[in-house]
Amino acid sequence: MAMIDEPLYPIAVLIDELKNEDIQLRLNSIRRLSTIARALGEERTRKELIPFLSENNDDDDEVLLAMAEELGVFIPYVGGVEHANVLLPPLETLSTVEETCVRDKAVESLCRIGAQMREQDLVEYFIPLAKRLAAGEWFTARVSSCGLFHIAYPSAPETLKTELRTIYSQLCQDDMPMVRRSAATNLGKFAATVEASHLKTDIMSIFEDLTQDDQDSVRLLAVEGCAALGKLLEPQDCVSHILPVIVNFSQDKSWRVRYMVANQLYELCEAVGPEPTRSDLVPAYVRLLRDNEAEVRIAAAGKVTKFCRILNPELAIQHILPCVKELSTDSSQHVRSALASVIMGMAPVLGKDATIEQLLPIFLSLLKDEFPDVRLNIISKLDQVNQVIGIDLLSQSLLPAIVELAEDRHWRVRLAIIEYIPLLASQLGVGFFDDKLGALCMQWLKDKVYSIRDAAANNVKRLAEEFGPEWAMQHIIPQVLDMINNPHYLYRMTILHAISLLAPVMGSEITCSKLLPVVINASKDRVPNIKFNVAKVLQSLIPIVDQSVVEKTIRPCLIELSEDPDVDVRFFATQALQSSDQVMMST
Amino acid sequence: MIGGGGEEATAPAPAAEGSQPLDWKFAQVFGERTAGEEVQEVDIISAIEFDRTGDHLATGDRGGRVVLFERTDTRDHGGHRRELERMDYSNGRHPEFRYKTEFQSHEPEFDYLKSLEIEEKINKIRWCQAANGALFLLSTNDKTIKFWKVQEKKVKKVCDLNMDLSRAMGNGPVVSSSISASSKSCMANGGFDERSSGYSSIDTSLPSGGLSSLRLPMVTSHETSLVARCRRIYAHAHDYHINSISNNSDGETFISADDLRINLWNLEISNQSFNIVDVKPANMEDLTEVITSAEFHPTHCNTLAYSSSRGSIRLIDMRQSALCDTHSKLFEEPEVPGTRSFFTEIIASISDIKFAKDGRHILSRDYMTLKLWDINMDRGPVATFQVHEYLRPKLCDLYENDSIFDKFECCLSGDGHRVATGSYSNLFRVFGCSEGSTEATTLEASKNPMRRQVQTPTRPSKSLSTLPRVLRRGADTSGVDANGNAFDFTTKLLHLAWHPTENSIACAASNSLYMYYA
């Protein structure tokens, strides 16, 4: 047994626990791997710690994941970039394990290290590693190798580059669909590093193979490659190579492939340029908006604004808007909901006239939708329309929609609309709010569900922030304080909570004159829960009000509560008193 | 449960032609019952499955255990693994297996919300893609699917630690001078909190050259042991009892089917599944049909088939829509006029379906028959095999004692030339289904499988004349006496599996696993 100096004791234990039986302790040690490395020094880290980690790799996945992550930032601890290659062997082993998240992390760390390595080291160590993994016996190694090519390729000499391209194309034809999926996923990244001349030949032929794969899951990922490759190619090559593929995909038999196209299509518009967009992509997109499968329509509807932003308004009005009208009465509520979440964004794109003429009727019909999510989505994006046409045209329909949502029987719906009230208030203005919505906000404070009361208290505070203390004095405070006399203690508690939130917004003067008396009064409540909440609120008021008020009003009340028969009341009162002592000492 | 070993088989397997009847021989038995031994309910085998290479066999039982067997007669395991992945593996000798390991997959549970007991019984096992020498499989009971990884782990011995035990344990007694793993962990747990606060100060005060007095622990390992770890649990997705699970050829998804719904899962995501088939009517009183079995196509990732209690098989194309309300093909046998009876619907219920390896054919088992379907022909089955036609007059008895609801499984040989299924009295039947074959063998799950065949049929099959159909075969009545009493309804052979590449069958007779080869 070695004798360890007292200060080294923690590190020595940390090292020992790398091999502890308790997984939590091993994890802890791995997370502190940099500390261990610094204690051992750079040389011993290279010669002992890293080989030690390479050998002991049949640990639990949680530990391996942590190890893969730590090693990614380990270059400083092994002596800098010139020694970075010593980190490759343990990560190579980690990138072959069965657990996907460990492999992914190992590949990520390998890439991070590779990106910093010197060119000759990449050729000597990193490229052979990528090749070894690509020739791996188990599919796990081959899956990982696909993610390394974009780091390996740029520094490879010419002959090696040819070989790497060949290997990648083999990976795209691997027997295991998992490997092909990984190759498809990483194709965009790899292609970005390949020279333009090879891009058009080698990479495009790889890509075409993937687009014809018989596994749907591989073709799905090839769709993603379309956008990535499209950005790399010259517009005319993009038109001749990518466009036909994407048009084909948009009519694929598998709805999942069409779903991916619906999600990605707008990204291709820029790559192909305006003319092919008009002639090919717009018709393809229109088809997707009218797809048989609701899932595809959901994806397409969700991108309608993004797509329209790329088109000129004329095209959008002519081709897309008719589809949007159809979608607003779609049989699937999820389609309507997806549309409602983005449609307001079309207003700035189409301009004032078209919005009033064409979009407004759609907004209004969606505001009356039977499905609350649709209405909520419209309301949540109100500001975007407000900028274009003002709120007046909408307000007539808005109010019934809000009132209905505010009284929905599902508390989650009520919660959602409360969250939007400050936004609505700012868009609609004080006048509208006073007339119509003020009463609703008070009503929520008396909701049956705690979450709603809680959100309502918060809402009152945000309104006070939005419209200022003066307005709040007139329109909120009296009504709120009135409710402290509610016979049910839970509602009284909500008011106490609201007061503690309002106090900082209202400022010292109003707090002392209006809020504090109410709180002090509540300390005489018959329910202990109210009393200890009074203690908590008083504690929160101490920093806001003047010192003299603390002495004259708050402390006497707290002292009284600290002698209450109820143990909880005494506890919180004592705690509040202690905190007031601290405030006094600090001033 | 597993007590028995293999028995040395001496005769080499004859090269079997597709049309030539196979000569079945006993190979092995595991957990053979001795005379008079009472079978424990928990030991009864409830699932059998070969992996894709045929090098491993898994059984599940009513006690929630999964037992794994491995093949011992393969050429040395050093063969290139990539080749193994491709599954083009063949061997001259008949497969011989040995016990590998077992683990408790499911425990009995209680669903407090629904006041339901959830049995631990394993309903199905499916193997997944092996990786890095580790085996993966899915097992399910009525409600919960689990993903298992079985792997050899080194038994580690750690030595050469930095810390002196006596110091670390403070005033505690030093038990022994050598550090055993357990005492070390106890020490580490003991002093943990106090030490963790020391790291940050250490971090800033380390010399740049490192500290020579520290050293890394040495790890030595001499032996390995098999460890099964549950990697994922796919739960709370089924309101009814799960009857099937099936892996997709894409290697990343699988389905689970209960009486009314089929859900699609990603192997890596256990907290979300997608409902792809839902046959639950708005009003449960309108329920006329339930799902009894479901399986993915072996190569087409978007095709799956499911069978129903009314004797139909539906083929689903998952590309068409997210929720597959409509089937792309329906396979049903039209009812023969005038044959309808009280039992018609009950015995039409399909208990199991299996795709042939080529993906072109589907084998289905209902109570009385095996049917082979061509997925390009939805007029009717291409072949029908009578499994135990002599029971037809006794359907009433079978109904009385609930045997009529027994769910027999079926299987196909790797080459698709033969099909097999179980019956009562621990019998199972093998039929040739290639063109011109008349093979129809009855075997008994015992050390002498052909015992039953020695007896001569006592009477000619009546059903052959009353039901004129070209391909009705196999209605032999061997083994039944004049009164038909010899059949024992309590010893039923429900579960069996055909080796993926060779003529070898594993079947479960109660708690015993019998293996045969030809």
Side-chain angles (χ1 to χ4, degrees), chain B residues 347-368:
Chain B
I347 62 171
S349 178
I350 294 177
S351 51
D352 192 24
I353 54 167
K354 292 272 160 63
F355 268 102
K357 222 178 187 178
D358 61 8
R360 168 100 186 254
H361 294 94
I362 297 174
L363 181 69
S364 71
R365 167 74 205 256
D366 54 44
Y367 192 62
M368 297 302 287

Side-chain angles (χ1 to χ4, degrees), chain A residues 479-548:
Chain A
Q479 288 93 324
V480 170
L481 295 186
D482 210 30
M483 278 187 261
I484 197 74
N485 298 318
N486 192 299
H488 200 302
Y489 87 97
L490 284 175
Y491 298 129
R492 297 200 296 276
M493 221 144 84
T494 308
I495 299 308
L496 283 177
H497 179 52
I499 288 175
S500 73
L501 289 170
L502 279 168
V505 184
M506 301 307 285
S508 162
E509 202 181 309
I510 295 176
T511 303
C512 292
S513 64
K514 296 283 176 190
L515 304 181
L516 191 56
V518 174
V519 180
I520 298 292
N521 213 15
S523 72
K524 309 277 193 304
D525 204 288
R526 65 200 146 79
V527 180
N529 294 47
I530 296 292
K531 286 195 272 188
F532 74 68
N533 271 293
V534 165
K536 282 193 202 169
V537 173
L538 287 176
Q539 182 177 352
S540 76
L541 294 183
I542 290 168
I544 299 167
V545 299
D546 204 62
Q547 191 58 48
S548 60

Side-chain angles (χ1 to χ4, degrees), chain A residues 223-269:
Chain A
V223 176
E224 287 186 350
C226 285
L229 286 175
K231 284 173 187 152
L232 298 172
L233 290 166
E234 299 285 314
Q236 70 268 22
D237 292 323
C238 191
V239 170
S240 59
H241 288 104
I242 306 282
L243 196 59
V245 174
I246 201 85
V247 169
N248 249 338
F249 271 153
S250 75
Q251 302 169 67
D252 197 281
K253 271 171 97 177
S254 167
W255 70 268
R256 285 166 69 198
V257 173
R258 298 198 305 276
Y259 173 92
M260 293 297 274
V261 175
N263 262 325
Q264 308 267 328
L265 198 61
Y266 72 95
E267 286 191 55
L268 260 180
C269 294

Side-chain angles (χ1 to χ4, degrees), chain A residues 374-489:
Chain A
V374 179
R375 283 173 270 155
L376 279 171
N377 283 343
I378 288 284
I379 288 170
S380 70
K381 299 282 165 57
L382 211 57
D383 46 336
Q384 289 168 323
V385 180
N386 202 6
Q387 290 158 12
V388 183
I389 58 166
I391 208 76
D392 298 345
L393 287 165
L394 268 179
S395 55
Q396 285 308 314
S397 305
L398 209 48
L399 191 67
I402 295 170
V403 172
E404 203 177 314
L405 288 168
E407 288 162 357
D408 197 283
R409 62 194 180 88
H410 295 290
W411 67 268
R412 285 177 201 280
V413 175
R414 298 201 297 275
L415 185 62
I417 187 71
I418 294 176
E419 308 272 317
Y420 293 130
I421 288 293
L423 168 81
L424 283 169
S426 70
Q427 298 294 318
L428 296 166
V430 176
F432 186 86
F433 187 86
D434 286 350
D435 293 347
K436 325 277 185 192
L437 297 181
L440 277 179
C441 295
M442 295 304 136
Q443 183 187 319
W444 282 319
L445 283 169
K446 289 185 271 187
D447 200 281
K448 283 194 296 250
V449 177
Y450 169 76
S451 297
I452 301 295
R453 295 196 301 271
D454 192 48
N458 219 349
N459 177 46
V460 169
K461 180 197 87 170
R462 285 168 72 188
L463 286 173
E465 282 169 350
E466 178 72 36
F467 294 141
E470 240 167 79
W471 176 87
M473 261 316 287
Q474 267 192 345
H475 296 93
I476 296 185
I477 303 291
Q479 288 93 324
V480 170
L481 295 186
D482 210 30
M483 278 187 261
I484 197 74
N485 298 318
N486 192 299
H488 200 302
Y489 87 97

Side-chain angles (χ1 to χ4, degrees), chain B residues 214-285:
Chain B
L214 291 169
R215 61 180 176 216
L216 291 163
M218 292 273 289
V219 181
T220 51
S221 55
H222 304 290
E223 52 200 285
T224 58
S225 71
L226 276 169
V227 181
R229 271 191 78 185
C230 181
R231 299 318 317 274
R232 267 175 268 279
I233 298 175
Y234 315 88
H236 312 302
H238 285 279
D239 287 335
Y240 305 91
H241 288 181
I242 298 174
N243 54 46
S244 331
I245 44 178
S246 173
N247 295 89
N248 192 302
S249 58
D250 66 9
E252 68 171 353
T253 55
F254 70 93
I255 48 165
S256 56
D258 67 25
D259 295 343
L260 296 177
R261 298 193 179 98
I262 301 178
N263 292 336
L264 178 70
W265 302 82
N266 187 310
L267 276 169
E268 310 220 326
I269 301 166
S270 57
N271 59 3
Q272 139 179 308
S273 70
F274 297 93
N275 180 231
I276 51 172
V277 175
D278 187 347
V279 301
K280 188 179 178 190
N283 182 357
M284 279 300 265
E285 280 167 18

Side-chain angles (χ1 to χ4, degrees), chain B residues 101 125-126 133 198 265 292 296 328 336 345 422 431 445 462 488:
Chain B
T101 186
I125 295 174
R126 287 290 176 270
W265 302 82
T292 54
F296 263 120
S328 57
V336 181
E345 278 197 15
F431 301 101
K462 231 172 132 186
D488 179 1

Side-chain angles (χ1 to χ4, degrees), chain B residues 425-477:
Chain B
S425 309
N426 278 345
L427 297 183
F428 66 101
R429 311 219 45 199
V430 179
F431 301 101
C433 57
S434 50
E435 205 147 327
S437 167
T438 54
E439 182 177 352
T441 317
T442 305
L443 297 113
E444 185 190 26
S446 71
K447 283 189 177 173
N448 180 11
M450 306 305 269
R451 186 161 65 100
R452 298 276 179 167
Q453 290 218 320
V454 182
Q455 301 174 13
T456 48
T458 50
R459 59 183 177 197
S461 161
K462 231 172 132 186
S463 60
L464 263 178
S465 51
T466 52
L467 296 172
R469 185 160 303 133
V470 192
L471 273 161
R472 281 212 165 207
R473 267 194 285 115
D476 76 53
T477 54

